Amino acid sequence: MGTMGHHQRSRSASGSPSATRSSNATELDFAAADLECPFGGIDALGAVELRETAYEIFFMSCRSSGGASEGEVSSPVAGAGARGGSAVMSSKVKKALGLKPRRSAPTTVRTSSQNSGPVSPGRTRRPMTSAEIMRQQMRVTEQSDARLRRTLMRAVVGQVGKRPDSIVLPLELLRQLKPSEFTDGEEYHQWQFRQIKLLEAGLILHPSLPLDRLHAAVLRFREVMRATEIRAIDTGKGSDAMRVLNNAVHALAWRPGSGSDACHWADGYPLNVLLYVSLLQTVFDHREHTVVLDEVDELLELIKKTWPILGVGRALHNVCFAWVFFQQYVVTEQAEPDLASATLALLADVAADAKQGSRESQSRDPVYTKVLLSVLGKMQEWAEKRLLDYHDRYEKGIGGTAMEILLSLALAAGKIVADREYAGTGNFAADRVDYYIRCSMKNIFTKILENGMAEADPADDPGVVLTQLARDAEQLAMFERANFSPLLRRLHPAPIAVAAVTLHGCFGVVLREYLSKVTILTEELVRVLHSANRLEKALAQMTAEDAADCDDDRAKAVVGDMEPYEVESVVMGLLKAWMDDRLRIGSDCILRAKETESWIPKSKEEPFPASAIELMRLSRATIDEFSDIPATAKDDVVQALVDGLDSTFQDYISFVASCGSKQSYVPPLPALTRCNQDSGFFRLWKKAALPSCQAPEANPRGSASQHTPRPSISRGTQRIYVRLNTLHYVLTHVQAIDESLSSLSSASGGNRVAAFDRTRAAAQSAVSRVAEVAAFRLIFLDSRHSFYQGLYVRNVVDTRIRPVLRALKQNLSFLVSVLVDHAQPVAVREVMKASFQAFLMVLLAGGNDRSFTRADHGMVEEDFRSLKRAFCTCGEGLVPEDVVVQEAEAAEGVVELMARPTEQLIAAFGAATSESIAGVREYEDSDGGATLVPPTARQWGPADPNTILRVLCHRDDEAANQFLKRTFQLAKRR
């Protein structure tokens, strides 16, 4: 640091006339510096007021060093003598702080009687005394200085030998100074109110001993202060206000518990420290702020005389003095490195003070602890703010010696705090330097990234920026190794490794963020991964070389912090992420379909819903994109992709098949009753009132020959058949996708994947179920008027099956026109089954409006043959004849029962009930004996007891009527 000797030109404090005035042009702007005061502030007292108060305390503390002569209080340092020019001795303080003395021509000031005007030729000059230097440094005018001397002369009359710390200076000044000694009343009022505010700060706001704010003396003082704020109070001997103020101040300054006869009015924190720092700042030349006066030794000796009043000790002085030098270094824009060197020298004394004595003894002096931690904290904060971004600071010219100073200041201050707060077992300097490197590398990396993004064309792929960023990061690592690492290595065993690992991690964060937004491998992505791989190898080599040069375990730990990019796993992750995204899109498509699908065909040429077309298009696009991915790793995920698509297809098939159940359309079984044998007259009347050819529920306006059945299928049924088309559409496209995957596996030499077997099985099952539901809806709901509600109502001969067949053929023709080819056979087959089921229900569960005789058998048999023929001739063999015959067996058996005599039916019923596994239990109820009706599972046939019983219930003859009445006590029809 000795290279800055030219800044320390030897020059004693000069005494030009302008030196006695406040030099605003050379006033330092502490507020503009990027540095906060560690002591806080006094709201009521500004910097100028604190400086004036500090000089008054300084003057009073030094008054006892000399006697009075010629009616004035002597200079505080009359005993120090006048020195100047070549007579100046070498300063021990400057030597201890590493500051060189200044040597220049001696400068003189006028004698005390010559306050103004030019120096007359031949008149002798004398050097300035230390007191005059102090007055000049603190910017106190000669007028104010003279007024202060006269005041203290009057105050010390009769108080010879009284210690300065036993005098409340503001109170004495208020007593002695009169308005006539000021320019005008306003100036006196402001001065008087400053003294009151000073007393408030020292006695009430910041006392050295704890104080109850409701203390009687506090309340009395507040009354006087409020009066003084309005106008100046009378300070004469007979003034009540002065008497109240005097009593209140003495009560607060000499409180019990102080432990001595000294008063306490300026030793409370932070007032005492702020006043003391104002005094210490006088060691710097007020015209050349980087220069320390050669008279610093004498000035410090005089300043130390204020210690009793301000409650300052040697340890606290060292902390404050270190802060003053540090603050001067900062506010002078760090132009003088010697000021920083002096700060470090003083911090060594502070560290020694902090180590002396136990922590418990230091805790008994809370002011020292608070000041110590505050000062060191602000020093460390200021230095580290620059060190945490030293790359940017270096670009601005702060490098070399300046960076070394920053490191020294930050580590020196931080080490004292660390040693005080906890017993440091690690390497404090290395830990902090490690932190600085990591933070600064992150900051400069962020800046490079932001600049690259700002300069990039918005239309370009972000990968272009990332590729350039990888190159810039590699250059940054080289720059770090060449420019900063040599200095940092003095404090850290492996600074290059730390920088490289940090840079590697920063790029990794950006790389992962970029990859998180990429769904598929592209050529640009391949370039990004190549650049990342190159950067990783370069940084890994730098890290390994730096760690190999040192034996410290810290270097090995740093190497372990470098988490590899693992490009191959990144590719695999991208493939899986892409696959998950595609599967999610398919799931979203299904969710939208569940909310909005109306099952309306897209067009006549494409009789499928929009959801099915979209889902298959997405699936097809997924397979095509997968085949275009430039990566061999995709062979490892193809089965997972197939399984995901398989699950998606099954979910959609389940949704398509959720169209209800056939049971919701089958009418409930009516209660069993016995036919009512009407008289011949009643039958003739009923036939005349209601023509037998009419079916009331089916066609109330005409006869059977004029009846026109409903030719169309309801929209709800049509939508179900759209579902059936959809299932076959899915099956067709799944087969095509499977073939594409097979071709892909063959081209890559991979194994054949098991594809969509569960989808095919689910679709086939759903086809049968949907076709069955649609058929039952068509027959039991859409055709109910002509079929279940119209066939054989009242009698057989007039309500034959011809209208049913006409409507059925029209419906079958419509189905063949709207269904895809693969869906037609199963749809027609299920309509046939539903028709046979409806025919059976007409015969066995037709309700009170249907009854049959043996003579009706021939017509019923003929109608059923016509019904079978309708399905055998539908389309071009849509339902094979053998299938029709097989499905018609149950109905033909029931029709055959209708041809048997009643007695034979009763006998068959008895045989069937005795042979049934479930049996027919007889029991006696409260009304007499009765037989339990055989249960039914609607599996009707000629050997089923429930079927035979239903034939008997619909047999219109006396024998059946009597059997049912006697055996089951069935009610007659109404």
Side-chain angles (χ1 to χ4, degrees):
M1 299 292 179
T3 59
M4 304 303 296
H6 63 280
H7 287 281
Q8 296 290 343
R9 298 183 303 275
S10 177
R11 190 192 72 194
S12 299
S14 63
S16 65
S18 61
T20 60
R21 297 190 301 269
S22 176
S23 179
N24 294 329
T26 59
E27 186 80 18
L28 280 176
D29 187 1
F30 291 97
D34 185 19
L35 186 66
E36 294 181 4
C37 178
F39 317 118
I42 307 296
D43 294 336
L45 299 173
V48 175
E49 294 173 313
L50 287 173
R51 189 171 66 235
E52 291 174 352
T53 300
Y55 182 74
E56 291 168 356
I57 294 174
F58 168 81
F59 199 95
M60 184 186 71
S61 300
C62 298
R63 69 174 179 80
S64 60
S65 60
S69 63
E70 299 181 1
E72 289 189 351
V73 175
S74 64
S75 169
V77 279
R83 307 165 326 198
S86 58
V88 175
M89 299 176 62
S90 176
S91 168
K92 294 182 179 179
V93 173
K94 295 182 71 171
K95 184 178 180 181
L97 297 180
L99 302 174
K100 293 183 178 180
R102 299 177 301 174
R103 297 300 178 194
S104 65
T107 57
T108 59
V109 297
R110 294 181 179 276
T111 61
S112 59
S113 62
Q114 294 172 325
N115 297 326
S116 61
V119 179
S120 302
R123 184 178 297 274
T124 60
R125 297 174 180 266
R126 65 172 177 81
M128 293 178 65
T129 64
S130 297
E132 291 169 331
I133 294 173
M134 193 69 175
R135 177 185 62 77
Q136 187 181 64
Q137 288 291 101
M138 298 199 75
R139 303 170 185 83
V140 177
T141 64
E142 294 181 0
Q143 178 185 1
S144 298
D145 184 60
R147 183 171 58 204
L148 181 60
R149 281 189 214 176
R150 290 194 300 271
T151 302
L152 288 181
M153 180 195 70
R154 293 193 295 265
V156 299
V157 173
Q159 300 188 44
V160 179
K162 195 172 184 179
R163 298 203 318 270
D165 59 347
S166 64
I167 300 173
V168 181
L169 178 59
L171 190 61
E172 292 297 330
L173 293 176
L174 287 172
R175 285 198 189 106
Q176 302 299 332
L177 273 177
K178 304 304 177 184
S180 60
E181 300 185 59
F182 292 85
T183 305
D184 52 38
E186 180 61 26
E187 182 184 2
Y188 174 70
H189 181 209
Q190 292 178 0
W191 174 86
Q192 188 184 77
F193 192 55
R194 173 172 71 84
Q195 303 300 328
I196 296 295
K197 289 189 295 182
L198 177 62
L199 289 172
E200 180 196 31
L203 297 174
I204 299 175
L205 299 180
H206 306 287
S208 59
L209 297 175
L211 175 66
D212 181 5
R213 295 296 176 89
L214 298 179
H215 192 285
V218 174
L219 300 178
R220 292 195 300 270
F221 180 88
R222 295 289 191 195
E223 293 178 0
V224 176
M225 185 172 184
R226 283 193 292 269
T228 308
E229 187 174 7
I230 298 173
R231 60 179 175 271
I233 62 173
D234 180 14
T235 58
K237 293 183 179 181
S239 170
D240 291 338
M242 196 63 192
R243 178 179 53 79
V244 172
L245 178 64
N246 184 72
N247 293 337
V249 169
H250 278 76
L252 295 172
W254 282 275
R255 282 187 289 147
S258 59
S260 68
D261 59 349
C263 62
H264 300 272
W265 67 274
D267 54 351
Y269 179 80
L271 177 63
N272 61 339
V273 175
L274 291 171
L275 293 172
Y276 191 65
V277 168
S278 296
L279 294 173
L280 291 178
Q281 287 171 345
T282 60
V283 301
F284 301 105
D285 193 322
H286 72 279
R287 294 166 301 179
E288 192 173 351
H289 303 299
T290 59
V291 174
V292 177
L293 297 177
D294 287 337
E295 296 82 3
V296 61
D297 300 58
E298 289 76 13
L299 294 180
L300 288 179
E301 287 299 322
L302 296 177
I303 290 172
K304 288 180 181 180
K305 295 179 181 295
T306 64
W307 285 8
I309 296 177
L310 298 178
V312 175
R314 183 181 58 82
L316 186 59
H317 161 79
N318 288 339
V319 176
C320 293
F321 205 31
W323 170 255
V324 166
F325 269 90
F326 173 76
Q327 179 181 248
Q328 198 73 8
Y329 173 69
V330 173
V331 298
T332 55
E333 299 180 351
Q334 305 140 63
E336 179 52 77
D338 282 1
L339 295 179
S341 299
T343 303
L344 292 172
L346 290 168
L347 286 178
D349 294 337
V350 172
D353 293 337
K355 290 181 180 179
Q356 289 178 359
S358 63
R359 187 179 304 175
E360 291 76 10
S361 63
Q362 292 181 4
S363 65
R364 286 195 290 269
D365 187 359
V367 172
Y368 170 73
T369 301
K370 187 177 296 185
V371 172
L372 175 68
L373 298 179
S374 298
V375 166
L376 297 177
K378 290 299 179 182
M379 287 183 177
Q380 187 178 14
E381 179 184 347
W382 180 87
E384 289 192 343
K385 182 178 180 180
R386 286 143 182 81
L387 289 172
L388 296 179
D389 198 11
Y390 63 78
H391 290 88
D392 187 54
R393 298 284 172 174
Y394 182 83
E395 291 180 357
K396 295 179 180 179
I398 301 180
T401 303
M403 184 171 174
E404 184 177 359
I405 291 174
L406 289 178
L407 283 169
S408 300
L409 288 172
L411 296 178
K415 185 66 165 60
I416 298 172
V417 176
D419 290 343
R420 178 181 176 82
E421 292 183 349
Y422 55 87
T425 57
N427 189 331
F428 175 80
D431 290 342
R432 296 310 297 172
V433 170
D434 187 288
Y435 179 63
Y436 304 152
I437 296 173
R438 293 180 187 273
C439 290
S440 188
M441 291 301 293
K442 291 177 182 178
N443 290 333
I444 189 61
F445 179 86
T446 302
K447 181 179 178 181
I448 294 174
L449 174 60
E450 291 174 349
N451 291 340
M453 294 177 65
E455 296 172 359
D457 188 342
D460 290 343
D461 188 287
V464 176
V465 177
L466 208 59
T467 302
Q468 181 61 41
L469 180 64
R471 291 193 288 266
D472 292 342
E474 186 174 354
Q475 293 176 3
L476 176 61
M478 301 299 180
F479 183 82
E480 172 78 14
R481 181 170 62 179
N483 292 274
F484 295 112
S485 295
L487 172 62
L488 298 174
R489 190 177 296 281
R490 304 175 191 173
L491 302 167
H492 193 285
I496 300 175
V498 173
V501 169
T502 303
L503 205 54
H504 180 274
C506 291
F507 187 83
V509 172
V510 179
L511 177 64
R512 283 187 286 273
E513 182 179 358
Y514 170 74
L515 295 177
S516 67
K517 300 177 182 178
V518 177
T519 58
I520 191 169
L521 284 172
T522 61
E523 294 299 328
E524 186 60 45
L525 177 58
V526 171
R527 283 193 290 271
V528 170
L529 294 176
H530 176 73
S531 300
N533 191 39
R534 174 181 172 179
L535 173 64
E536 183 173 49
K537 289 181 179 179
L539 295 178
Q541 182 178 359
M542 292 174 62
T543 302
E545 291 174 355
D546 198 36
D549 294 338
C550 63
D551 299 329
D552 197 304
D553 292 337
R554 181 188 299 272
K556 298 180 177 61
V558 170
V559 175
D561 292 340
M562 182 175 285
E563 183 178 353
Y565 294 148
E566 298 179 350
V567 174
E568 289 299 326
S569 64
V570 169
V571 173
M572 181 64 68
L574 281 174
L575 286 174
K576 291 182 178 179
W578 170 85
M579 181 179 66
D580 292 342
D581 181 67
R582 286 298 171 180
L583 295 176
R584 178 190 58 77
I585 293 175
S587 298
D588 292 343
C589 176
I590 296 175
L591 289 176
R592 287 194 303 272
K594 290 179 179 179
E595 296 175 356
T596 63
E597 185 57 74
S598 59
W599 302 108
I600 298 176
K602 182 179 180 181
S603 65
K604 193 172 183 179
E605 292 74 20
E606 292 183 304
F608 317 110
S611 62
I613 296 174
E614 182 184 4
L615 181 62
M616 292 301 106
R617 180 182 58 79
L618 289 173
S619 302
R620 181 76 257 179
T622 298
I623 297 301
D624 293 342
E625 289 183 14
F626 184 75
S627 63
D628 294 337
I629 292 176
T632 57
K634 64 184 181 181
D635 294 337
D636 299 331
V637 299
V638 62
Q639 186 61 56
L641 177 61
V642 169
D643 292 342
L645 289 174
D646 200 13
S647 177
T648 300
F649 293 152
Q650 291 180 66
D651 188 15
Y652 186 70
I653 289 170
S654 176
F655 164 60
V656 174
S658 60
C659 56
S661 69
K662 68 176 184 178
Q663 300 301 329
S664 61
Y665 301 108
V666 177
L669 295 176
L672 291 176
T673 58
R674 52 194 173 89
C675 290
N676 185 14
Q677 292 294 301
D678 297 328
S679 64
F681 174 79
F682 182 76
R683 290 179 181 177
L684 290 175
W685 174 85
K686 184 170 66 173
K687 186 173 183 180
L690 182 65
S692 60
C693 62
Q694 185 179 16
E697 292 83 353
N699 186 11
R701 292 195 296 262
S703 65
S705 61
Q706 298 171 332
H707 174 68
T708 302
R710 298 178 62 180
S712 61
I713 303 175
S714 68
R715 292 189 180 276
T717 306
Q718 291 180 37
R719 292 189 177 98
I720 297 179
Y721 279 114
V722 172
R723 292 175 184 254
L724 189 61
N725 278 346
T726 303
L727 292 172
H728 283 280
Y729 178 78
V730 170
L731 277 171
T732 301
H733 280 267
V734 165
Q735 180 63 29
I737 291 174
D738 190 8
E739 292 173 358
S740 298
L741 286 173
S742 299
S743 301
L744 183 62
S745 299
S746 301
S748 62
N751 297 327
R752 174 70 169 88
V753 296
F756 311 123
D757 292 338
R758 289 175 296 178
T759 294
R760 293 188 181 89
Q764 294 293 350
S765 175
V767 163
S768 300
R769 181 154 34 89
V770 171
E772 183 180 52
V773 172
F776 270 70
R777 179 185 171 93
L778 173 64
I779 297 302
F780 286 99
L781 182 63
D782 299 345
S783 304
R784 67 185 183 277
H785 297 292
S786 61
F787 207 149
Y788 182 69
Q789 295 178 357
L791 183 62
Y792 303 152
V793 172
R794 302 299 181 186
N795 60 74
V796 175
V797 65
D798 295 323
T799 53
R800 299 284 294 275
I801 203 170
R802 183 174 294 176
V804 176
L805 293 178
R806 284 202 303 269
L808 179 62
K809 289 179 180 179
Q810 291 178 2
N811 288 336
L812 289 176
S813 297
F814 180 80
L815 286 183
V816 172
S817 68
V818 299
L819 289 174
V820 296
D821 293 344
H822 292 294
Q824 293 174 10
V826 66
V828 175
R829 184 171 62 250
E830 292 301 328
V831 171
M832 178 189 68
K833 291 181 181 180
S835 299
F836 291 169
Q837 183 72 14
F839 192 85
L840 279 174
M841 289 194 65
V842 167
L843 300 180
L844 301 177
N848 294 340
D849 292 331
R850 291 186 174 94
S851 63
F852 303 97
T853 65
R854 286 185 64 194
D856 296 331
H857 168 262
M859 293 181 288
V860 173
E861 185 177 34
E862 182 183 356
D863 287 349
F864 188 67
R865 283 199 299 270
S866 299
L867 183 61
K868 291 194 297 180
R869 192 180 307 111
F871 290 103
C872 290
T873 60
C874 179
E876 298 179 0
L878 290 178
V879 183
E881 187 173 352
D882 59 334
V883 175
V884 176
V885 172
Q886 180 182 354
E887 294 296 335
E889 288 179 355
E892 288 177 337
V894 172
V895 172
E896 188 274 331
L897 288 177
M898 296 177 67
R900 297 183 188 181
T902 302
E903 292 76 10
Q904 188 176 348
L905 288 175
I906 294 174
F909 176 77
T913 54
S914 63
E915 295 174 1
S916 175
I917 297 176
V920 178
R921 295 185 296 107
E922 295 185 359
Y923 62 92
E924 297 293 329
D925 60 11
S926 59
D927 297 329
T931 302
L932 187 66
V933 175
T936 179
R938 296 200 182 195
Q939 300 295 326
W940 291 314
D944 176 47
N946 186 273
T947 303
I948 300 173
L949 178 61
R950 289 180 176 276
V951 173
L952 287 171
C953 288
H954 288 79
R955 177 63 61 88
D956 190 8
D957 64 17
E958 184 62 24
N961 182 38
Q962 291 300 322
F963 171 74
L964 296 173
K965 177 180 180 181
R966 181 180 65 256
T967 306
F968 297 102
Q969 298 180 357
L970 294 180
K972 293 193 298 183
R973 297 183 181 181
R974 299 293 181 183

